Amino acid sequence: MEMIFGRDRGPVTDEDVAEAYPWPEEGVWVRSMMVSTLDGAAAGPDGLSNTISGDADRQVFDAVRRFADAILVGGGTVKAEGYGPLRADPDDTERRRAQGQRPAPVLAVVSGSLDLPLGDDGFAGSEERPLVFTGATPDADRLAAVRERCEVVQSGSDSVDDGWVIDQLVERGLRRIVCEGGPSLLRAVVAADRLDEADLTLSPTFAGTSTTPDTEALPDVSRFELAHLLTADGFVMARYVRRR
Ligand SMILES: NC(=O)c1ccc[n+]([C@@H]2O[C@H](COP(=O)([O-])OP(=O)(O)OC[C@H]3O[C@@H](n4cnc5c(N)ncnc54)[C@H](OP(=O)(O)O)[C@@H]3O)[C@@H](O)[C@H]2O)c1
């Protein structure tokens, strides 16, 4: 992998990939990690992002979430992508503990329906009990089922405000947050003006956009500045930081 734009231009070793995605020493930082095709699709013809991903994207994906406190995803993505349990590499666990972090990132899911896959090999089997954010009056049976496997946090109304979700994570000491989408959740985080960094992989593919969810237009464009560009195997991995 090579950095072609940014402060440390030149070859990037596997270990250095995570160093290219630093977290601030203090304060809350929310970054997104998404992959897009050349025609703007967020998923392949099968409705999955893996189809448009590749080794270079996966390497950056792992590096971006490696020392995160929480991985935030929408219910649509958990269902579509079949999220497995979150686990950290044993060496990373040591470093995480030394840095005062939990042994592995906590998975945080936003879901109004609570219609979530709860099997042992799914997200609910994570080392750290997942958090599920939902509204005030979800379906009672689903609420009971999700509570058995996850900590459920209910908002005060039927809607879930994404700024409130991030505040709840921070209250639990989870201040390094990776939002892994999908597009609907990411749009809401941007609309709440809580996104600090957007990490985007451009995949050298076309896929058509019918499996990519439409999102509502924002009231105004949200502007970011380019911090770096990495490249490998024809993929371009961009890191943008919010212009404030
Ligand atoms: N290219 C990429 O990097 C990438 C990344 C992630 C996902 N994807 C793809 O994107 C697609 C899924 O994206 P998506 O936009 O449909 O789904 P999404 O953003 O993952 O999830 C949307 C769902 O999240 C829940 N949700 C989000 N905000 C909420 C709120 N404020 N209140 C209540 N519930 C809320 C709802 O779940 P309930 O329906 O459970 O109520 C809603 O239906 C899949 O095809 C996936 O493969 C691509």
Side-chain angles (χ1 to χ4, degrees):
M1 193 169 295
E2 191 180 352
M3 186 176 288
I4 54 172
F5 177 85
R7 268 190 305 182
D8 303 308
R9 287 181 207 198
V12 179
T13 64
D14 290 358
E15 188 53 36
D16 288 345
V17 181
E19 306 302 325
Y21 293 88
W23 294 99
E25 293 283 319
E26 289 176 356
V28 183
W29 192 258
V30 182
R31 61 165 60 139
S32 61
M33 178 69 220
M34 298 288 286
V35 56
S36 169
T37 63
L38 299 177
D39 52 351
D46 57 359
L48 300 176
S49 59
N50 198 38
T51 327
I52 58 171
S53 180
D55 289 347
D57 174 51
R58 280 186 277 273
Q59 203 179 348
V60 168
F61 180 88
D62 289 345
V64 160
R65 56 153 60 173
R66 209 165 143 195
F67 297 105
D69 296 321
I71 308 293
L72 178 63
V73 281
T77 294
V78 167
K79 274 180 272 188
E81 300 278 340
Y83 261 62
L86 289 193
R87 295 197 176 100
D89 179 275
D91 289 344
D92 287 350
T93 300
E94 287 312 306
R95 183 167 149 190
R96 292 177 62 91
R97 284 209 170 98
Q99 292 176 170
Q101 293 185 277
R102 297 190 193 190
V106 176
L107 189 70
V109 181
V110 186
S111 171
S113 71
L114 294 186
D115 178 14
L116 299 170
L118 292 167
D120 281 342
D121 52 354
F123 77 94
S126 295
E127 278 172 30
E128 296 287 322
R129 196 170 165 85
L131 288 160
V132 175
F133 295 93
T134 193
T137 54
D139 177 272
D141 291 341
R142 285 184 184 155
L143 177 61
V146 176
R147 270 202 180 127
E148 279 180 24
R149 311 296 306 266
C150 310
E151 180 185 342
V152 178
V153 188
Q154 291 183 254
S155 71
S157 69
D158 284 345
S159 65
V160 182
D161 177 82
D162 293 271
W164 169 81
V165 169
I166 288 163
D167 291 340
Q168 290 293 312
L169 292 174
V170 175
E171 269 185 29
R172 288 163 175 76
L174 308 171
R175 65 173 186 84
R176 285 162 278 214
I177 301 164
V178 183
C179 175
E180 292 183 353
S184 309
L185 180 69
L186 181 55
R187 182 231 170 259
V189 172
V190 173
D193 197 17
R194 301 303 293 266
L195 193 70
D196 300 295
E197 172 183 333
D199 299 327
L200 176 73
T201 293
L202 193 59
S203 161
T205 55
F206 281 79
T209 56
S210 64
T211 63
T212 298
D214 280 335
T215 62
E216 206 182 311
L218 290 165
D220 199 358
V221 289
S222 183
R223 296 185 191 281
F224 286 72
E225 279 169 12
L226 184 61
H228 79 216
L229 289 174
L230 301 171
T231 184
D233 308 332
F235 285 77
V236 177
M237 282 68 67
R239 178 174 188 251
Y240 290 91
V241 175
R242 178 82 164 110
R243 190 190 291 175
R244 295 203 186 271

